[in-house]
Amino acid sequence: MQIGVFGGTFNPIHRGHIRLCETAKEQLVLDRVLMIPAGMPPHKIPPELASGQDRAEMCRIAAAGRPWLTVDERELRAAGKNYTVDTLASLAADYPEDAFTLIIGSDMLTTFHQWREYRRILSICRIGALCRSVVEQEAFADAAERLRKEGGRIEKLTVPPMEVSSTQIRQWIKTEPSRAAALLPEGVAEYIMTRGLYR
Ligand code: ATP
């Protein structure tokens, strides 16, 4: 099986995240995608960070009706700083028969060579990186070429941009909840309201 790995803070998960997962699934022919909410060391918890349980639950709600999309809580269980390389190594140990594709946003490919043990990451998985705009294309191509020279398997994902971020959503929940709801996967706005998150 070809498994997509999509990590994020997901505070909260929004439609841009889901669209990226769907694009990766289609364009890279993935069988499954794992959403992996990030853990946070207690001394680094930023204001407005919902608990790991709430963030994971919102991911589960967002995944409803998409059996190929699931939540993996290993980084939350580790309850500290998680490095992508360690998460991937642990996944590879759990699923020895499968192949992995790390799904990342466009801004991340250009700084990928600064990630801890990035060469080992390249050896474990293929990278599916989003290229959001024509403006980004040149930087994307340069970064991809540099990593390919080191043996990286870099795939470009293209998707029409969806202007949404979790930061914007948290703001709108306070001021314009209906605007936030429009950009949240079905059921997630209700969960946020019921739990009183981000108020
Ligand atoms: P924040 O605003 O709190 O920084 P965020 O919306 O960027 O959050 P993250 O959980 O940090 O969300 O993102 C996880 C991944 O999703 C990252 O790789 C990021 O590049 C990607 N991503 C975030 N927003 C979008 C979007 N609108 N379209 C496509 N990819 C996105």
Side-chain angles (χ1 to χ4, degrees):
M1 257 201 316
Q2 186 61 245
I3 303 179
V5 177
F6 183 47
T9 314
F10 304 131
N11 185 42
I13 187 150
H14 55 64
R15 286 188 191 269
H17 294 136
I18 297 294
R19 181 140 77 162
L20 179 54
C21 289
E22 282 174 340
T23 302
K25 178 181 187 287
E26 280 162 30
Q27 294 180 3
L28 304 178
V29 199
L30 307 176
D31 299 293
R32 298 178 60 187
V33 175
L34 306 177
M35 291 185 282
I36 309 192
M40 209 63 73
H43 63 285
K44 277 208 170 160
I45 292 179
E48 296 208 307
L49 181 73
S51 72
Q53 274 172 342
D54 279 329
R55 290 182 288 121
E57 186 57 26
M58 291 188 278
C59 289
R60 268 190 289 276
I61 293 168
R66 296 178 178 87
W68 51 272
L69 186 60
T70 52
V71 183
D72 182 292
E73 297 192 47
R74 71 189 60 220
E75 291 198 358
L76 296 175
R77 282 194 298 270
K81 170 93 181 126
N82 287 271
Y83 290 98
T84 302
V85 65
D86 298 328
T87 301
L88 285 165
S90 133
L91 283 166
D94 282 0
Y95 302 98
E97 307 287 311
D98 299 316
F100 295 92
T101 301
L102 181 68
I103 303 166
I104 58 175
S106 45
D107 42 325
M108 297 192 174
L109 195 69
T110 45
T111 56
F112 191 80
H113 59 286
Q114 294 165 1
W115 291 22
R116 175 179 285 223
E117 293 189 66
Y118 76 93
R119 290 192 182 90
R120 190 164 154 227
I121 299 180
L122 296 178
S123 73
I124 299 175
C125 64
R126 169 169 87 140
I127 310 288
L130 176 66
C131 185
R132 278 204 232 191
S133 65
V134 183
V135 185
E136 280 180 354
Q137 262 174 35
E138 204 173 323
F140 184 100
D142 288 349
E145 193 187 315
R146 208 168 45 223
L147 296 169
R148 283 186 189 121
K149 279 190 186 138
E150 303 196 64
R153 293 157 287 165
I154 315 297
E155 306 288 341
K156 178 157 129 182
L157 295 168
T158 46
V159 60
M162 184 181 272
E163 285 310 320
V164 51
S165 69
S166 298
T167 305
Q168 178 72 79
I169 300 268
R170 292 194 301 275
Q171 190 55 40
W172 279 339
I173 285 165
K174 295 182 193 63
T175 55
E176 296 173 83
S178 59
R179 217 167 162 188
L183 292 167
L184 289 166
E186 213 176 310
V188 173
E190 290 77 1
Y191 184 86
I192 289 173
M193 295 309 156
T194 310
R195 299 274 298 136
L197 304 178
Y198 313 121
R199 306 295 276 281

